[in-house]
């Protein structure tokens, strides 16, 4: 896995190289540049290129062979013994085998290496070239030298001359450059002829075929060299002492003037064996590399190094490196974070991670027993740790006293850059955040790591607020820090949410006063503004209630004006001439169900509950008081249980009786007579009260004093009278309501928010007119006249008659239809309801539609069915007229004069819009 990673890295660098085919003017510079450094590392030459020279450029590497230059493509580099490693920031190392192609080899002891580095940008104006030459001396050749580099395996064997008495013979080579170049397949006189690879099955190739397959084969004055890429068809994997290794075995056939020489070559390179802990890297290499060793052997030397360079014991100790051996392995241990490697940031799944990369080297020299042949084994293995999660630490330095959010986020490696911050209002770049008044800073530490800080005041528009308690404000700052990793510009993000609380809420305050008929309430907002709902009694203020209670509001206050007899007031105490009423207000925060303020205002209001008339008639008003919460006023009676209220609702019961009836008692004293009765709860025949057993009794005494004199007498009979005296006429309010039903079932009605209602031409409109808040079966509701207008003004022209004198308008081509009303769950007294329907129409003039909406108005008469004195109470269309009653005013329609002796109500409904404005009546 590690070897494959580095081959891919080389291919990435090679992709940069092949981009540079168009070469503009070239400037040649010597290797004196301080950013370039070359040295010799045993059987390798190492060239280091600092990022200061390479940054912003692309790199092309050429091998110099005399006057010729060869661009090192990835395949040619592998075949010829060149490798390159570059970190993400451009620090580059190039390794050249001293037995590589294009190296000037002098008798296998002196080696002259030449490289040209060409650097250019994507759209260059010039190419800058640096020529590097390095002479290395190396004479400590082992019988067999094996190099495991990041992209190739190399093995070289010593070939003895005929003078040495060996079977093989290497002729003198005068043209060293030719011998040290790629072998010429056309040279049939001498050289490598063919080779057999073992996979482990034998595969034979001539030299040309092997070179086309990517292998390198060559000879020097004393050695034969083979080079193979990793993972080719002719290499195979083998597990050695638990370590995966790539194995390369080949037999070469070398033709010389004296005969044929056969040489067996083999290389085995580790591709794993690395173990990781959080703090340590352990690299295990088999002590006995079985593909290379037959029989017993002895390790003569063992060294470790970094980046191809050996380290002595003091250098290893200073860095915390160890080199040890067991029965099966050579073990190198390197601390994670040692200065010879580097950290790199990553963001898998947009989460921050780091890796650490280091390139250790192992060099061994062993000798097979009973032999003078030794093997030098050198492995360079770049190692990268697995991804290590490094979630940034969030340090919250928020100061509630200073009303300032402050957060530090880190640490990150030097390759991380803060690009933007996402606030609740949107994404801002760092520059935009600073211009908005926020403080964004980057803090760098001596080891190159960094952290970031942000400061935001509480009152910034990006801060969210809510109240955790009625007096406490919670301030929340949600943040998403957007980072990128350089140089790849890989994005990742870190989410932070800061919170702080302050007891800084000023609650609203309520004040109130009264006059003879109303409560006056004023509410001053706190510093949260209008953040509450208002409850009057047990009801929340709606639009209708706000209008009823004259609700007013500005930016700092709101006020109410409530009648003391309003439905939401409570009666605490009733006397003969006053009532003590109370209004309860509650300011309610609905999101948290908090009470922000309340007020209970109680006042005495003038109210006469008993009136004693000179003719002996008494009127009394019973009031439901708070102490009897379950009282229904309709249940109240006088002492005579048959004397019930003549009118009642949910709060009042009105009685009218004569002083000689309903169980009234009489008492004489001095010159006065006292009549008394009592209003109380009626009990059924089982003796059980209508109210709960725990409710207090309701008792209200009625008293009337009359002066006894010659000029004023009061009749009182002890026998029942044949006729009762008529009571004085009282006054009150009866409410009539007109609604538009959604269909002929009259079950669902359009509400105020549904208007204007849209209908098609000639679509039926179903109206219901009802007498509400009355259960008196002796009352009858009569629709006297109904008509339609263009405008909300009921007196506006033009108009059209719908019902005339309680009957349908016979001039209408689509006559109004009355619908019978029967008692049901909603309709208790059918005589209190009238229902009719008509076809949707519009007004026209000269065949042009005047307006695409209408309003419907009615005059209703409320009659006493026991009285026949008023002709208006004769019933709905009892005597229909045979003649047309419709008269025109303006364009269409006229309204009737109403009887002054009847109780009338005026009601309207609309607007109703016509769906097709081109249709006409």
């Amino acid at each position: 896995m590690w070897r494959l990673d580095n081959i891919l890295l080389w291919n990435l660098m090679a992709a940069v190289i092949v981009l540079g085919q168009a070469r503009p003017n070239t400037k040649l510079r010597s290797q004196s540049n301080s950013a370039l450094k070359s040295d010799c590392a045993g059987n390798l030459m190492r060239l280091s290129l600092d990022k200061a020279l390479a940054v912003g450029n692309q790199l092309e590497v050429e091998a110099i062979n005399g006057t010729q230059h060869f661009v090192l493509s990835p395949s040619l580099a592998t075949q010829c013994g060149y490798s390159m490693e570059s970190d993400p920031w451009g620090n580059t190392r190039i390794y050249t085998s001293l037995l590589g192609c294009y190296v000037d080899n002098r008798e296998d002891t002196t080696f002259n290496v030449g490289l040209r580095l060409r650097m250019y940008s994507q759209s260059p104006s010039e190419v800058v070239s640096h020529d590097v030459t390095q002479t290395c001396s190396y004479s400590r050749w082992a019988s067999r030298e094996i190099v495991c580099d990041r992209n190739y395996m190399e093995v070289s064997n010593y070939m003895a001359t005929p003078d040495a008495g060996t079977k093989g013979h290497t002729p003198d080579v005068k043209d060293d450059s030719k011998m040290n170049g790629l072998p010429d397949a056309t040279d049939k006189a001498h050289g490598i002829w063919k080779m057999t690879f073992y996979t482990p099955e034998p595969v034979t190739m001539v030299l040309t075929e092997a070179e086309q397959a990517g292998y390198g084969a060559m000879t020097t004055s004393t050695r034969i060299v083979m080079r193979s890429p990793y993972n080719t068809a002719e290499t195979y994997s083998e597990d050695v002492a638990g370590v995966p290794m790539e194995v390369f075995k080949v037999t070469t056939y070398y033709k010389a003037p004296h005969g044929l020489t056969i040489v067996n070559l083999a290389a085995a390179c580790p591709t794993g064996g690395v173990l990781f802990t959080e703090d340590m890297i352990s690299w295990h290499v088999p002590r006995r590399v079985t593909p290379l060793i037959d029989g017993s052997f002895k390790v003569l030397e063992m060294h470790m190094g970094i980046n191809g360079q050996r380290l002595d014991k003091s250098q290893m100790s200073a860095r915390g490196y160890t080199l040890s051996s067991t029965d099966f392995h050579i073990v190198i241990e390197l601390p994670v974070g040692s200065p010879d490697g580097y950290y790199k940031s990553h963001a898998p799944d947009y989460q921050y991670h780091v890796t650490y990369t280091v390139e250790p080297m192992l060099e061994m020299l062993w000798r097979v027993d009973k032999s003078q042949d030794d093997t030098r084994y050198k492995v360079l293995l770049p190692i990268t740790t697995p991804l290590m999660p490094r979630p940034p630490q969030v340090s919250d330095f928020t100061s509630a006293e200073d009303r300032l959010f402050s957060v530090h986020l880190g640490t990150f490696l030097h390759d991380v850059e803060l690009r933007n911050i996402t606030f609740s209002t949107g994404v801002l770049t760092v520059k935009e955040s600073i211009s908005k008044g926020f403080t964004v800073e980057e803090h760098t530490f001596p080891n190159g790591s960094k952290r970031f800080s942000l400061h935001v005041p509480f009152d910034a528009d990006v801060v969210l607020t809510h109240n955790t308690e009625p007096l406490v404000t919670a301030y929340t700052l949600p943040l998403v820090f957007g980072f990128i990793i350089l140089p790849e510009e890989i994005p990742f993000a870190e989410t932070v949410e800061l919170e702080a609380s302050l007891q800084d809420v000023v609650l609203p305050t309520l004040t109130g006063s009264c006059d003879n008929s109303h409560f006056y309430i004023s509410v001053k907002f706190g510093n949260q503004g209008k953040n509450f709902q208002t409850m009057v009694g047990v009801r929340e203020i709606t639009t209708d209630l706000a209008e009823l209670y004259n609700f007013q509001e500005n930016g700092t206050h709101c006020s109410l004006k409530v009648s003391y007899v309003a439905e939401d007031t409570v009666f605490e105490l009733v006397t003969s001439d006053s009532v003590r009423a109370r209004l309860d207000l509650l300011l309610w925060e609905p999101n948290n169900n908090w009470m922000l303020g309340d007020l209970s205002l109680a006042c005495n209001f003038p109210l006469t509950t008993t009136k004693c008339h000179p003719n002996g008639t008494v009127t009394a008003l019973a009031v439901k008081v708070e102490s009897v919460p379950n009282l229904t006023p309709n249940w109240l009676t006088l002492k005579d249980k048959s004397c019930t209220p003549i009118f009642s609702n949910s709060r009042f019961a009105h009685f009218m009786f004569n002083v000689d009836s309903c169980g009234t008692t009489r008492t004489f004293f001095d010159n006065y007579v006292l009549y008394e009765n009592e209003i109380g709860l009626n009990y059924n025949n089982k003796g059980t009260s209508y109210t709960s057993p725990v409710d207090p009794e309701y008792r209200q005494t009625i008293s009337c004093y009359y002066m006894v004199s010659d000029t004023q007498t009061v009749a009182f009979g002890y026998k029942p009278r044949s006729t009762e005296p008529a009571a004085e006429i009282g006054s009150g309010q009866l409410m009539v309501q007109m609604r538009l039903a959604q269909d002929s079932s009259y079950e669902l009605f359009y509400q105020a928010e549904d208007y204007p209602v849209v209908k098609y031409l000639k679509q039926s409109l179903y109206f219901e007119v009802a007498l509400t808040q009355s259960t008196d079966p002796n009352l009858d509701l009569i629709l006297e006249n109904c008509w339609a207008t263009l405008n909300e003004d009921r007196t506006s022209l033009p108009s059209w008659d719908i019902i005339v004198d309680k009957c349908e308008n016979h001039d209408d081509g689509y006559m109004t239809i009355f619908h019978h009303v029967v008692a049901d769950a909603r309709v208790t007294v059918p005589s209190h309801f009238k229902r009719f329907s008509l076809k949707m129409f519009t007004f026209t003039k000269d065949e042009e539609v005047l307006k695409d909406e209408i309003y419907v108005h009615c005059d209703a008469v409320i009659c006493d069915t026991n009285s026949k004195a008023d002709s208006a109470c004769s019933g709905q269309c009892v005597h229909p007229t045979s003649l047309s009653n419709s008269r025109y005013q303006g364009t269409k329609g006229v309204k009737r004069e109403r009887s002054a002796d009847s109780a009338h109500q005026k009601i309207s409904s609309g607007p109703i819009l016509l769906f097709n404005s081109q249709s006409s009546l």
Side-chain angles (χ1 to χ4, degrees), residues 181-192:
L182 279 175
D184 188 350
T186 63
D187 186 357
K188 303 298 183 180
H190 59 84
I192 297 174

Side-chain angles (χ1 to χ4, degrees), residues 497-803:
E497 185 168 296
L498 305 178
E499 292 185 345
S501 296
L502 278 177
Q503 188 170 327
D504 58 357
V505 177
V506 177
L507 297 178
T509 55
L510 299 93
T511 56
S513 61
C514 305
D515 60 12
N516 286 337
S517 58
H518 289 88
F519 294 97
Y520 297 89
I521 306 297
S522 178
V523 180
K524 181 182 179 181
F525 302 159
N527 61 357
Q528 304 293 305
K530 179 71 164 58
N531 66 327
F532 55 83
Q533 294 178 354
T534 305
M535 305 283 290
V536 179
V538 296
R539 292 195 297 174
E540 180 183 337
I541 287 189
T542 61
T543 303
D544 293 339
L545 274 184
E547 182 178 356
L548 178 64
Y549 292 158
N550 194 27
F551 180 81
Q552 304 289 331
E553 180 182 348
N554 58 28
T556 60
H557 292 75
C558 65
S559 62
L560 294 135
K561 178 182 177 183
V562 182
S563 171
Y564 80 96
V565 295
E567 182 180 346
D568 296 300
T569 62
V570 173
F571 297 127
E572 295 181 337
L573 179 66
V574 179
T575 66
S576 60
D577 59 357
S578 70
V579 61
R580 182 172 180 82
R582 188 183 76 246
L583 182 65
D584 296 326
L585 275 91
L586 183 66
L587 305 184
W588 192 259
E589 200 282 309
N591 294 328
N592 300 290
N593 290 335
W594 290 334
M595 185 184 73
L596 302 184
D598 65 329
L599 175 68
S600 291
L601 180 61
C603 298
N604 290 320
F605 297 92
L607 177 65
T608 301
T609 58
T610 303
K611 289 185 179 180
C612 305
H613 299 277
N615 63 356
T617 300
V618 179
T619 59
L621 183 67
V623 180
K624 179 179 179 178
V625 291
E626 185 181 26
S627 59
V628 191
N630 294 324
L631 173 68
T632 299
N634 189 46
W635 298 344
L636 295 172
T637 68
L638 296 175
K639 286 184 177 181
D640 184 343
K641 306 305 181 185
S642 64
C643 295
T644 58
I646 62 171
F647 167 80
S648 67
N649 59 21
S650 61
R651 311 190 70 194
F652 298 98
H654 190 76
F655 292 87
M656 181 182 295
F657 62 96
N658 195 274
V659 295
D660 61 352
S661 66
C662 296
T664 306
T665 62
R666 179 183 61 180
T667 303
F668 290 94
F669 59 94
D670 295 335
N671 203 32
Y672 294 90
V673 59
L674 170 64
Y675 294 94
E676 287 187 321
N677 208 319
E678 186 178 69
I679 301 173
L681 277 173
N682 185 19
Y683 292 83
N684 61 22
N685 54 13
K686 293 183 179 181
T688 304
S689 172
Y690 281 110
T691 60
S692 168
V694 299
D695 286 336
E697 291 187 351
Y698 185 91
R699 292 288 183 267
Q700 182 175 334
T701 301
I702 304 169
S703 300
C704 281
Y705 292 87
Y706 289 92
M707 182 179 294
V708 179
S709 68
D710 294 334
T711 58
Q712 185 176 13
T713 61
V714 177
F716 183 82
Y718 64 92
K719 293 182 179 180
R721 300 168 61 94
S722 58
T723 60
E724 295 294 330
E728 289 186 356
I729 301 301
S731 63
Q733 291 185 350
L734 293 175
M735 296 183 63
V736 178
Q737 179 185 42
M738 181 164 69
R739 295 189 293 175
L740 177 61
Q742 295 187 16
D743 53 40
S744 60
S745 67
Y746 288 94
E747 293 180 353
L748 299 175
F749 295 87
Y750 292 105
Q751 306 299 316
E753 59 269 19
D754 298 327
Y755 284 88
V757 175
V758 179
K759 294 289 184 179
Y760 292 96
L761 186 67
K762 298 182 183 180
Q763 184 177 357
S764 294
L765 306 177
Y766 298 95
F767 289 93
E768 178 183 272
V769 182
L771 173 61
T772 63
Q773 299 183 356
S774 174
T775 58
D776 188 352
N778 296 321
L779 297 182
D780 192 5
L781 174 69
I782 305 297
L783 298 181
E784 189 178 38
N785 293 297
C786 296
W787 66 100
T789 63
L790 282 175
N791 302 309
E792 191 173 2
D793 182 3
R794 59 193 285 119
T795 64
S796 64
L797 296 176
S799 66
W800 181 261
D801 286 322
I802 298 171
I803 296 174

Side-chain angles (χ1 to χ4, degrees), residues 139-400:
S139 57
R140 298 180 56 199
W141 292 103
S143 302
R144 179 172 59 175
E145 298 258 348
I146 298 173
V147 176
C148 298
D149 209 333
R150 60 187 51 75
N151 59 322
Y152 67 88
M153 299 180 285
E154 178 185 278
V155 55
S156 69
N157 273 27
Y158 174 75
M159 290 194 308
T161 62
D163 296 339
T166 61
K167 182 178 179 181
H169 173 72
T170 302
D172 294 333
V173 180
K174 296 182 179 180
D175 188 355
D176 289 340
S177 63
K178 180 176 179 181
M179 286 299 296
N180 223 18
L182 279 175
D184 188 350
T186 63
D187 186 357
K188 303 298 183 180
H190 59 84
I192 297 174
W193 166 41
K194 68 175 182 177
M195 54 198 73
T196 299
F197 297 90
Y198 300 93
T199 64
E201 297 300 324
V203 177
T204 301
M205 300 182 189
V206 297
L207 177 60
T208 304
E209 294 174 328
E211 289 174 348
Q212 290 175 348
Y215 298 100
M218 56 186 293
T219 59
T220 68
S221 59
T222 62
R223 308 186 73 81
I224 184 170
V225 184
M226 281 294 300
R227 215 172 279 111
S228 170
Y230 290 91
N231 301 312
T232 65
E234 287 72 42
T235 63
Y236 62 93
S237 297
E238 182 176 334
D239 187 282
V240 181
V243 177
M245 303 194 79
E246 188 81 4
V247 180
F248 166 59
K249 288 185 176 181
V250 61
T251 298
T252 59
Y253 298 85
Y254 175 73
K255 292 193 303 181
H258 64 276
L260 181 66
T261 300
I262 301 174
V263 180
N264 294 319
L265 301 170
C269 296
T271 57
V274 183
L275 301 177
F276 302 96
T277 66
E278 185 176 353
D279 303 315
M280 190 67 66
I281 299 171
S282 299
W283 178 25
H284 295 71
V285 179
R287 178 183 179 88
R288 179 187 182 92
V289 185
T290 52
L292 305 178
I293 299 174
D294 292 326
S296 59
F297 72 103
K298 181 179 181 180
V299 176
L300 304 178
E301 295 180 12
M302 188 169 60
H303 306 277
M304 77 155 290
I306 292 291
N307 300 329
Q309 186 69 49
R310 283 188 189 180
L311 298 178
D312 58 30
K313 291 184 177 180
S314 62
Q315 291 172 321
M316 292 171 55
S317 176
R319 292 168 168 80
Y321 302 149
T322 61
L323 174 63
S324 61
S325 64
T326 67
D327 291 341
F328 300 100
H329 298 98
I330 307 297
V331 182
I332 293 178
E333 292 187 323
L334 307 97
V336 174
S338 66
D340 293 313
Y342 63 87
Y343 281 101
K344 182 72 183 74
S345 298
H346 304 270
D349 298 325
Y350 298 98
Q351 302 298 311
Y352 187 60
H353 291 68
V354 299
T355 58
Y356 174 75
T357 300
V358 67
E359 186 184 285
M361 180 190 73
L362 173 64
E363 188 175 340
M364 298 172 58
L365 182 66
W366 70 74
R367 178 173 295 169
V368 178
D369 289 350
K370 300 178 182 180
S371 170
Q372 296 300 313
D373 294 334
D374 51 15
T375 299
R376 189 177 306 279
Y377 185 65
K378 179 184 285 190
V379 182
L380 288 83
L381 185 70
I383 298 173
T384 300
T385 64
L387 289 168
M388 298 179 286
R390 289 292 187 269
Q393 181 180 358
V394 178
S395 301
D396 188 355
F397 297 103
T398 297
S399 173

Side-chain angles (χ1 to χ4, degrees), residues 45-72:
M45 190 279 286
R46 181 178 65 174
L47 171 63
S48 299
L49 174 65
D50 190 83
K51 65 180 180 181
L53 185 62
V55 66
N57 294 310
Q58 295 182 9
L59 176 64
E60 177 184 271
V61 182
E62 296 177 350
I64 302 175
N65 184 16
T67 60
Q68 293 181 304
H69 297 76
F70 300 91
V71 176
L72 294 175

Side-chain angles (χ1 to χ4, degrees), residues 23-30 116-119 125-131:
R23 302 177 184 175
N25 296 330
T26 299
K27 291 184 178 180
L28 184 62
R29 300 182 182 178
S30 68
R116 173 168 289 181
L117 307 181
R118 298 170 55 82
M119 282 168 283
S125 59
E126 62 177 11
V127 173
V128 177
S129 295
H130 297 270
D131 282 0

